[in-house]
Amino acid sequence: MLLDIIYWATQRKWLIIALLIGALLYLLPTPHGLILSGYHTLIIVLTAILLIIYEPIPLPAVAMLILVFQVLFGIATPNEVAASFMSDAVFFIMGSLMLAVAIVSQGLDTRLALGIINITGHKTWRIVAGFVTVCAILSSFVGEHTVTAMMMPVGLTLVRHASRDPKKIMKLTGLILFSIAYGSAMGSIGTPSGGGRNVIMMGYLSQFEMGSLSYVEWMKYAYPMLLVEIPLAVILLWWTFSPEKRILDSAVRKLKVQVAKAGGITGRQLTSIGVFALVFLGWVFLSPTIGLGIVALLGVVLYLAFGLVEWQDLNRNTNWGVIMLFGAAISVGLQMKDTGAALWVATKVINMLRIVTGDLDIIRSFVSIFLTVGLTNFLSNAATVAVLGPIVLNMGGDAVIITLATALASAFAYMTVVASPTCMIIHSSGLVKPTDYLRAGWKMTLMSIAVLFLFIHLFWPLLG
Amino acid sequence: MKFLLAVSSEDYSRPTLRMGSQIAKSFDARLNVVYVGPKPKEFFAGRVSLARDSLAKWEIYHPGIEVLRWAFQDLQSSGYLENSGENGFDPLNMVEENDRYRMVLPGSYGQEIDLVLREGEIIEELRKECGEEDYTLSIIGGSKGRNMAHDLLQYLPTSVLVMKNLDIEKSYQILLCVDDSPATDRAVRFGGTIAKKMGMAVTLLTVSKHDEFGEGYTNAAKSAAQYLDSLNVSHEQKFLTGNPITTFVGAAGDDHLITMGASSRSPLKKFFLGSKPMKTLEQADCPILVVKGQ
């Protein structure tokens, strides 16, 4: 019994530490310039961040704790908390997770494989360029993890055909897997539907009544940046994982034979593509009126209605805990705005950085980009945006630019395994090491930040 | 009797698997080979699971299944499992049970071993595994991380054999540490059985901090020697004075399997002050077996 208690305490030490820090802060006097409910909101945010990073308790428990604390601390009434828990952004995350299951289950990966190798041929650099480009473009519409889930079998099969001994082609393996992961992560900036975090930032922008961005407007700002990043990413990945084999002729041949066995495209696959095309058109034309989340849910209903996916499969592969957590994070994000906590933190940060420079634009860029990039590599990109969004939007300046810069910077999650779902998915293959993420990730991060800076200061002003 | 044998990879676990399976055979114990792989962060678990489903359609399986496949084949090639010619290992026969995956092996294979895949933090998962089945002994490799074996020793409810610096080419002897603690008797029986079945010589070592050996120590040493005599195991007996831990470690060198009873200290004292087996494990350059229970 005593041993079990000691074991529990060692395993749950981050729960104990987080709650102790929270309790300690609760006992301290409210900082100057902050009202009590704002201070309590910040305590909840800090405690929740620790619990999300270290996961001493399941994520749904963290989500419930956030909601419960809001009521217990008197920040909001139960009905207010419940109302702020669900939003179009949460609908979008729920819908996109389900759409991913529906799309991945159609077996379109064989079609993609054939398409890529038919275009690229057998030279390794062309195959890598093909993977990065296809992953980036597809993930800009259907979401990063959906594309990674479809492309990873293709990449790994190619690698497996290249050599029977994985140790002889470790660099090639890294190159192909990171082309898929980084290509998909990079592509998620292209449109709002590329990632839940884009929709969260758009939601904050409109909920705080600071402006609005439509699907097409977002693309006008972000898509050119994505197109510039694609070739640069190919060069950086090639430089990092200079592969053992420059030509993959026999591997490509074997892959073609394997893929050919799947036969031609089926009616079911065509219907599935048709449904997604409708969803895309809905995002472009209907989302300003009915919201991105509602369109995503409508897409899920269509997939179910056409019998393209079973509810049991959707239910099994949708992480309801993550959806609850985003609901809770957005709810506390709104409280940060309403209680003035976000403004207080934003002012403090700006005042602190004014010691270094008086240029407010540089400070805003620094916080929205560097802080987001720093946090996104440890906290997951969507959670980063849910927490930082209200703060950066309270720093002043052009709210649309801040929204885009923060959402785009949160995609630069390249340096750790836990940074993004795509990084985690390729790590689950057991073929890449955590150090590989650092080796390739710092270059990708610097390149992405540089391109974003150039776009903020040179290209976006041209768009008005 | 059922033994748990934890494997991590082909590169690191071959010696542990070879020696561990021999010891299981010497006890006629059923062997469960367990692989514990890293669990994806809960944030992304659903999405990783989706990718795994997609990979499985291309016959690309969880890396842990490949480790278990290797373990199965290695047990066949070492002769532990009879090679009946039938295809015993099929990833499609992996069944989900509670929070683990177990390979359903056909025919005689299924009566001899189980292959289990778990995901999560190693200590937590091995504790859960021990809760799942009634294991007598857990066999683990000598982890590079000092705390891993140390924590497993503390938190696993079974006896623990840590294959630290194991070299299967080397011939090992058993160093049986004998004192008046309640677990010594069981350690002697365990160590004696291994020695008899595997043809190892035994050194019975009793260490006192003082110049005199108390009655409890001498009686325990005498009883241990009688037991080994009854098994016809060749042994020598040593009485040394000094710090028990450094003396055990010095006497064991790198060619002994240190066998000792678990500490009778309270869990709280063990947590803050450590114990003789834990400190011996930290300092030893050879495998160590810590026997728990009565």
Side-chain angles (χ1 to χ4, degrees):
Chain A
M1 180 64 185
L2 183 58
L3 183 68
D4 290 335
I5 294 170
I6 293 171
Y7 179 71
W8 179 88
T10 56
Q11 293 300 297
R12 301 284 180 270
K13 63 176 179 283
W14 278 105
L15 173 65
I16 297 167
I17 291 169
L19 292 179
L20 279 178
I21 290 173
L24 188 70
L25 290 172
Y26 184 77
L27 294 173
L28 292 175
T30 308
H32 180 68
L34 196 57
I35 61 169
L36 189 63
S37 56
Y39 182 47
H40 287 167
T41 306
L42 284 183
I43 294 174
I44 294 173
V45 169
L46 189 70
T47 311
I49 288 176
L50 287 173
L51 295 177
I52 293 169
I53 291 177
Y54 293 104
E55 291 187 359
I57 53 173
L59 290 181
V62 180
M64 285 185 264
L65 211 57
I66 292 172
L67 302 177
V68 168
F69 277 161
Q70 284 187 66
V71 176
L72 292 184
F73 284 166
I75 298 165
T77 64
N79 284 338
E80 284 168 347
V81 171
S84 63
F85 180 69
M86 264 299 160
S87 64
D88 188 58
V90 180
F91 281 158
F92 176 81
I93 290 165
M94 188 158 71
S96 62
L97 288 176
M98 291 186 194
L99 282 176
V101 180
I103 293 167
V104 171
S105 64
Q106 304 307 319
L108 289 165
D109 38 13
T110 49
R111 311 256 63 84
L112 284 171
L114 207 54
I116 292 174
I117 53 181
N118 277 342
I119 295 168
T120 61
H122 57 263
K123 285 187 178 156
T124 310
W125 78 266
R126 290 184 60 139
I127 292 171
V128 169
F131 272 118
V132 174
T133 310
V134 169
C135 288
I137 289 173
L138 281 179
S139 76
S140 66
F141 300 106
V142 300
E144 53 191 321
H145 76 276
T146 315
V147 177
T148 307
M150 285 195 293
M151 294 301 291
M152 203 162 84
V154 180
L156 282 181
T157 305
L158 194 64
V159 162
R160 204 193 251 182
H161 287 324
S163 171
R164 286 185 173 199
D165 185 356
K167 285 175 187 158
K168 285 186 182 163
I169 47 159
M170 283 169 78
K171 286 182 182 173
L172 176 71
T173 308
L175 181 63
I176 298 283
L177 287 181
F178 278 98
S179 300
I180 294 167
Y182 287 173
S184 305
M186 209 166 66
S188 67
I189 66 170
T191 75
S193 59
R197 57 189 183 279
N198 300 344
V199 183
I200 292 173
M201 274 314 282
M202 282 170 77
Y204 281 146
L205 183 70
S206 60
Q207 277 173 307
F208 297 169
E209 295 174 354
M210 290 175 160
S212 66
L213 263 173
S214 70
Y215 197 91
V216 176
E217 281 169 336
W218 181 291
M219 284 182 72
K220 271 197 324 199
Y221 282 96
Y223 226 92
M225 179 175 154
L226 169 60
L227 297 177
V228 168
E229 278 197 296
I230 289 173
L232 296 175
V234 174
I235 294 166
L236 289 181
L237 286 169
W238 188 268
W239 173 33
T240 308
F241 300 99
S242 183
E244 298 85 351
K245 293 186 175 220
R246 303 293 165 118
I247 290 178
L248 297 175
D249 47 356
S250 86
V252 166
R253 216 170 31 246
K254 286 177 190 166
L255 181 64
K256 270 186 180 172
V257 170
Q258 189 172 344
V259 169
K261 285 180 194 163
I265 192 158
T266 63
R268 189 187 167 90
Q269 288 171 332
L270 280 173
T271 315
S272 165
I273 294 168
V275 170
F276 189 78
L278 285 178
V279 171
F280 173 70
L281 292 173
W283 278 332
V284 172
F285 296 110
L286 300 179
S287 64
T289 323
I290 65 171
L292 289 158
I294 294 295
V295 174
L297 291 182
L298 187 61
V300 176
V301 172
L302 287 176
Y303 273 102
L304 285 166
F306 282 112
L308 296 168
V309 67
E310 295 293 324
W311 170 251
Q312 286 82 349
D313 292 331
L314 290 185
N315 190 31
R316 189 170 62 87
N317 285 307
T318 304
N319 192 337
W320 300 100
V322 167
I323 295 166
M324 280 179 74
L325 187 70
F326 281 126
I330 292 169
S331 160
V332 83
L334 295 176
Q335 298 302 345
M336 279 178 72
K337 159 77 176 163
D338 290 347
T339 59
L343 180 64
W344 183 83
V345 175
T347 313
K348 287 277 172 202
V349 171
I350 286 176
N351 288 342
M352 218 162 59
L353 291 175
R354 268 197 170 138
I355 301 166
V356 184
T357 171
D359 189 330
L360 272 178
D361 276 342
I362 292 179
I363 292 175
R364 286 187 198 110
S365 303
F366 178 84
V367 176
S368 63
I369 297 175
F370 284 91
L371 205 58
T372 306
V373 169
L375 209 54
T376 201
N377 278 287
F378 295 99
L379 189 63
S380 110
N381 37 30
T384 297
V385 162
V387 171
L388 281 184
I391 296 171
V392 293
L393 282 171
N394 272 283
M395 288 193 310
D398 187 330
V400 170
I401 299 295
I402 295 277
T403 297
L404 284 162
T406 308
L408 267 51
S410 71
F412 307 161
Y414 304 122
M415 288 191 284
T416 61
V417 177
V418 298
S420 73
T422 61
C423 290
M424 186 62 90
I425 288 171
I426 63 162
H427 184 253
S428 72
S429 69
L431 296 169
V432 286
K433 300 188 290 289
T435 47
D436 292 333
Y437 292 81
L438 261 184
R439 269 177 66 205
W442 73 266
K443 295 168 199 157
M444 287 289 294
T445 305
L446 282 187
M447 179 274 285
S448 303
I449 289 175
V451 174
L452 180 55
F453 259 106
L454 288 175
F455 268 73
I456 290 174
H457 294 287
L458 299 177
F459 180 67
W460 291 355
L462 300 177
L463 298 175
Chain B
M1 209 178 251
K2 199 176 279 184
F3 289 180
L4 181 162
L5 195 153
V7 289
S8 62
S9 71
E10 185 177 347
D11 290 342
Y12 296 109
S13 300
R14 189 183 300 276
T16 304
L17 185 64
R18 287 283 168 101
M19 180 85 148
S21 57
Q22 277 182 47
I23 291 174
K25 200 154 209 168
S26 72
F27 279 89
D28 207 16
R30 186 181 166 80
L31 188 66
N32 279 15
V33 178
V34 180
Y35 168 84
V36 181
K39 190 176 189 172
K41 234 174 141 46
E42 201 185 337
F43 226 101
F44 307 128
R47 287 168 268 188
V48 172
S49 147
L50 185 65
R52 287 218 171 113
D53 285 353
S54 178
L55 284 166
K57 288 180 194 155
W58 289 65
E59 294 180 4
I60 299 170
Y61 300 105
H62 189 295
I65 292 183
E66 296 308 322
V67 176
L68 292 179
R69 187 198 299 274
W70 157 77
F72 181 80
Q73 288 168 349
D74 195 75
L75 288 171
Q76 276 185 323
S77 65
S78 70
Y80 178 83
L81 290 175
E82 275 182 34
N83 198 337
S84 68
E86 63 181 320
N87 182 17
F89 192 97
D90 184 351
L92 297 177
N93 288 342
M94 216 69 187
V95 290
E96 194 174 351
E97 290 178 334
N98 300 326
D99 49 2
R100 67 177 193 171
Y101 296 88
R102 187 174 63 84
M103 170 78 68
V104 177
L105 293 165
S108 57
Y109 293 135
Q111 289 156 21
E112 290 174 73
I113 61 161
D114 259 331
L115 301 170
V116 175
L117 168 66
R118 286 182 165 273
E119 276 189 334
E121 197 270 328
I122 293 176
I123 298 168
E124 173 97 22
E125 291 306 310
L126 291 183
R127 267 174 69 91
K128 281 186 194 165
E129 182 61 32
C130 289
E132 200 76 36
E133 308 213 22
D134 188 20
Y135 292 108
T136 308
L137 175 69
S138 302
I139 302 167
I140 58 175
S143 158
K144 282 178 187 165
R146 189 182 74 96
N147 287 335
M148 179 64 70
H150 188 276
D151 287 353
L152 284 169
L153 200 58
Q154 185 171 9
Y155 296 123
L156 287 188
T158 64
S159 298
V160 177
L161 170 56
V162 183
M163 298 294 198
K164 194 172 178 185
N165 295 342
L166 176 67
D167 178 357
I168 43 174
E169 302 300 322
K170 200 179 272 182
S171 76
Y172 283 87
Q173 294 185 6
I174 289 182
L175 181 77
L176 248 172
C177 305
V178 179
D179 59 20
D180 57 354
S181 67
T184 287
D185 187 44
R186 192 167 155 86
V188 169
R189 284 169 193 280
F190 225 111
T193 308
I194 294 174
K196 181 171 173 62
K197 300 282 179 140
M198 298 184 68
M200 292 168 154
V202 175
T203 303
L204 287 169
L205 176 61
T206 305
V207 179
S208 171
K209 286 181 190 168
H210 316 289
D211 288 341
E212 288 180 11
F213 288 83
E215 198 179 336
Y217 275 37
T218 49
N219 283 345
K222 197 171 154 188
S223 159
Q226 280 172 350
Y227 181 72
L228 294 180
D229 284 337
S230 74
L231 292 177
N232 284 329
V233 170
S234 79
H235 60 91
E236 62 168 331
Q237 193 144 33
K238 287 182 181 173
F239 290 88
L240 299 174
T241 55
N243 177 311
I245 292 145
T246 50
T247 311
F248 292 153
V249 171
D254 61 0
D255 58 355
H256 280 80
L257 164 61
I258 301 175
T259 304
M260 63 200 304
S263 166
S264 53
R265 274 186 167 172
S266 80
L268 207 60
K269 273 190 181 169
K270 275 190 217 170
F271 182 75
F272 287 110
L273 304 172
S275 66
K276 219 184 272 184
M278 280 179 190
K279 289 176 184 167
T280 309
L281 169 64
E282 279 169 22
Q283 295 177 28
D285 291 320
C286 60
I288 172 168
L289 167 64
V290 178
V291 182
K292 293 184 184 177
Q294 297 302 312

